[in-house]
Amino acid sequence: MTKYNIAIAGFQHETNTFAPGLATYDEFLKEDSWPGLTGGDAIMGQFRGMSLPLAGYIDTALADGQESLNLHPILWASAEPSGYVAKDAYETIAQNICAGIAAINDLHGIYLDLHGAMVAQHVDDGEGELLRRIRTIVGPDLPIVVSLDLHANVSPALVEHCSAITIFRTYPHIDMAATGARAYALLNQLLAGSVFFKGLVQIPFLIPLTSQCTDLEPCRSIYQELLLQQASHADLISLDCALGFPAADTYDCGPCIVAFGKSQSQVDAVLAHLEQFIARFEDQLSGTLLPPDEAAKEAIILSKRLNQPIVIADAQDNPGAGASSDTTGIIRALLEHHAENTYVAVINDLETTQQAHRLGQGAIFTANLGGHGGVPGDHPIACDLQVCELANGEFTFTGDMYKGITAKAGPMALVKIIQPNSSVYVITSINRIQCLDLAIMRHLGVEPETANIIAVNSTVHFRADFDPIAAKILVAISPGFHPCDLSTLEYKKLRPGMRRC
C-alpha cells in the first residue's frame, strides 16, 4: 500500500485595505479567539476538535485511519482582521511554509487552510502568490487542495495553481470544520488518480457583508441552489460560492463561483447557470442600515413591548472585518434616549480596562470611554464609570461558531455609565474581540436573556448565538472602519465594470 506524504499548513488574514494599521508578525503570534502561530507536530494536538478548517481536515484524516496517510504539519498562522499584512510578516510566514514543503521527501499532496482575502503591503493577492511560489517548488501536477472563507476574493491565479477548492457555505461560519473535511475528501480523490476539470466565474458586483447572511434571503436561496446543482449533476465533483470581502480594494475583489468536475462542459454549464441565478438578486442585496439615533430609538420602543432582548448590530465597528472596535456612536445614541438595562459589547479600550482592574470592583472613576481608534467624526465619551465586574478574558465559547475553543482575550471589564435616567453597561477589553458568542457576556456575569437591549460589535457572526434569544435584530451603521455602505468608498483597483449593491 502506498503511504502518501501530505503537507498541511494554514495562513489566515482578512485584510481591510480601508482600515489603518498593519498585521505585523507579532499579530500572528498572538492567541485570541484562535491559536497563535503554531508549528510542526504541535498542530496535531492543538487543533484536534476545533471548529476550524485545519481541524476538520485533521480530525477526518485521523477518524479515517492513518494506514495510507503520513501528515506533515508545517505551520498555521492567523491574525485578527486589520489593515494590510506587513511585508516582513507575509514573507516570513510564506517562506517558512514553502521551506517546510520543500523539505518533505517524496511528497504526494498538500492541504492549505487559507482565507482568500489577504492583502499584503507588497502583494495584492496573498493566497494566489503563495500558491504560485509553492507550484515552483512542487511542479504543476502535485495535488494541492485549499479551503477558503466565504468572504474570499478568489483570483484566477489562485484557481490556476490549486487542484481543488472548498469554501465555507454558511455565514455565520458554522461549517468551518466541515469545509476542511470536504477538502480531505477531494485530496483523497486526487491521490487516487482522479482528474478534475475546473472553472471560475467572477460576479460583476460587490455585496456588503450586512447582506451576506446565509440564513436570510436572498443568500439562503443562492446556497440552496448551489447544493441543488451539485446534487443534480453526477459529473460535478465540487461546487462553491464565495460572496467576497468588499473592504479589500483589489482587482479580484468580489463574489465568485468555483466548480470542479469530470468534464469541462459540465463545469462550464453549471457555472453559467449559477451566474445567471445570482444575477437576479443584485437589486435585493443592499440591505437596510439604520443610523445610530434611529436604531437606538427603535430598540427602546420595541424593548418596552417585547419580552426578549433587542439586538443592535454595530456593523461598521466589527473587529472581525478590521474595524477598531471602539467607536461611540451607538453608545451616545443609547444614552441620549435614556436606554435602560442595556449592554454594549465589546469596546476595545486599553486604558479604561486597565484602570478598572487597578481600582477594583465597585470603584467609580472618570474616563474617556472608547473613541481612540481614529475613526473620522468619532470621539471618546467623557463620563463617570462604575466597575461592576472584572475578568481575565479566558473562557470557553459555547455558540455554534467557536464551540469548545478557549478564548484568551486578555483582561476585560463590565462598567456602568453613570448618567441619570438610563442604565447603560459596557464591556471593555484590552484587545479587539468580536461579540459573536453569548459566553463573552456571561464571562462578565451578564445573563444576556435578561437585557432589554444588547449592542454588539459584529456584522453577522453574532446571529449564530444571539438569534435564539433576540426578539428583533437591527443593523446600525455608526461610523467605523468597516464600511457597509459601499457607495461611500473610493476604490482604486476594482475590475472595470464592477458595480456595488
Side-chain angles (χ1 to χ4, degrees):
M1 176 185 293
T2 301
K3 187 81 169 179
Y4 293 112
N5 291 307
I6 308 299
I8 58 175
F11 190 7
Q12 296 257 349
H13 191 261
E14 186 175 71
T15 306
N16 180 343
T17 62
F18 297 96
L22 293 174
T24 64
Y25 185 73
D26 285 345
E27 293 300 311
F28 287 92
L29 296 177
K30 285 182 181 178
E31 290 185 84
D32 44 40
S33 301
W34 286 354
L37 192 149
T38 308
D41 291 338
I43 289 173
M44 300 300 290
Q46 176 101 18
F47 285 79
R48 293 287 304 277
M50 282 190 171
S51 180
L52 290 172
L54 185 69
Y57 185 95
I58 292 171
D59 290 344
T60 306
L62 295 181
D64 204 22
Q66 293 191 9
E67 291 81 5
S68 63
L69 288 183
N70 188 14
L71 300 183
H72 296 264
I74 298 172
L75 67 80
W76 186 91
S78 171
E80 188 76 6
S82 67
Y84 292 93
V85 175
K87 179 179 180 180
D88 68 308
Y90 180 89
E91 290 299 332
T92 299
I93 296 170
Q95 288 170 16
N96 284 340
I97 291 174
C98 289
I101 289 171
I104 300 171
N105 293 322
D106 197 22
L107 182 64
H108 296 95
I110 299 171
Y111 165 64
L112 297 174
D113 177 10
L114 307 178
H115 184 283
M118 181 191 300
V119 187
Q121 286 179 300
H122 62 309
V123 174
D124 276 1
D125 180 13
E127 291 84 2
E129 172 61 16
L130 176 62
L131 264 293
R132 185 194 67 77
R133 296 182 187 186
I134 291 172
R135 277 293 176 207
T136 64
I137 297 169
V138 301
D141 300 323
L142 188 91
I144 301 176
V145 177
V146 305
S147 59
L148 299 175
D149 194 286
L150 178 140
H151 307 304
N153 295 321
V154 181
S155 69
L158 176 56
V159 176
E160 175 189 353
H161 294 308
C162 73
S163 308
I165 295 172
T166 61
I167 302 175
F168 305 166
R169 293 170 174 171
T170 61
Y171 183 33
H173 305 327
I174 60 173
D175 67 332
M176 290 186 284
T179 303
R182 288 193 288 122
Y184 170 80
L186 291 177
L187 185 52
N188 278 0
Q189 291 183 55
L190 291 163
L191 293 172
S194 294
V195 176
F196 293 179
F197 294 88
K198 56 189 173 183
L200 165 71
V201 168
Q202 293 178 311
I203 306 299
F205 54 81
L206 302 179
I207 306 172
L209 260 63
T210 46
S211 298
Q212 292 188 14
C213 180
T214 56
D215 294 330
L216 305 176
E217 295 296 351
C219 289
R220 178 166 54 191
S221 289
I222 291 172
Y223 281 88
Q224 287 174 345
E225 182 65 18
L226 183 146
L227 294 175
L228 176 63
Q229 288 296 313
Q230 178 154 355
S232 301
H233 297 90
D235 287 343
L236 196 63
I237 296 167
S238 179
L239 180 65
D240 276 304
C241 174
L243 297 178
F245 186 60
D249 183 12
T250 64
Y251 187 84
D252 293 301
C253 179
C256 76
I257 317 159
V258 292
F260 299 85
K262 297 178 182 178
S263 74
Q264 193 65 53
S265 60
Q266 184 68 84
V267 165
D268 293 344
V270 171
L271 287 175
H273 168 79
L274 269 178
E275 181 180 19
Q276 293 178 1
F277 186 85
I278 293 172
R280 72 179 68 171
F281 297 114
E282 180 176 357
D283 293 338
Q284 302 175 36
L285 286 163
S286 57
T288 300
L289 307 174
L290 299 175
D293 193 64
E294 290 184 28
K297 287 192 291 186
E298 184 172 349
I300 291 169
I301 292 170
L302 290 171
S303 70
K304 291 178 179 178
R305 63 178 179 84
L306 298 174
N307 294 324
Q308 291 177 279
I310 309 303
V311 177
I312 301 174
D314 192 358
Q316 297 195 146
D317 198 30
N318 174 12
S324 57
S325 187
D326 76 335
T327 62
T328 59
I330 292 293
I331 301 174
R332 291 179 190 276
L334 291 167
L335 291 171
E336 181 179 346
H337 295 288
H338 306 294
E340 298 179 346
N341 191 25
T342 293
Y343 294 83
V344 178
V346 178
I347 295 296
N348 177 212
D349 190 322
L350 174 65
E351 183 175 343
T352 296
T353 306
Q354 288 180 334
Q355 192 167 0
H357 276 259
R358 282 196 301 268
L359 296 174
Q361 191 168 338
I364 295 175
F365 64 99
T366 299
N368 289 314
L369 178 65
H372 304 293
V375 174
D378 189 64
H379 306 284
I381 298 175
C383 57
D384 290 331
L385 301 174
Q386 182 175 16
V387 182
C388 300
E389 192 71 47
L390 300 169
N392 63 7
E394 293 191 18
F395 58 90
T396 300
F397 289 106
T398 56
D400 287 342
M401 260 195 74
Y402 287 172
K403 184 178 292 184
I405 295 177
T406 299
K408 296 186 178 180
M412 304 174 75
L414 174 68
V415 296
K416 180 181 181 182
I417 300 175
I418 299 175
Q419 176 177 291
N421 302 316
S422 67
S423 53
V424 176
Y425 299 82
V426 180
I427 293 177
T428 69
S429 63
I430 66 166
N431 294 306
R432 292 183 302 146
I433 180 170
Q434 182 180 177
C435 191
L436 50 68
D437 195 299
L438 296 172
I440 294 173
M441 300 183 71
R442 291 179 178 141
H443 177 56
L444 273 299
V446 179
E447 287 302 326
E449 295 90 341
T450 66
N452 290 356
I453 300 170
I454 303 171
V456 296
N457 59 338
S458 182
T459 306
V460 169
H461 281 324
F462 73 95
R463 289 180 179 270
D465 214 19
F466 283 78
D467 263 354
I469 72 162
K472 178 78 173 179
I473 290 174
L474 307 173
V475 181
I477 51 168
S478 178
F481 282 126
H482 168 227
C484 295
D485 180 356
L486 304 184
S487 67
T488 65
L489 294 179
E490 296 183 8
Y491 290 98
K492 298 179 180 179
K493 297 182 178 181
L494 294 181
R495 299 186 302 282
M498 284 294 288
R499 304 184 294 275
R500 314 179 198 189
C501 293

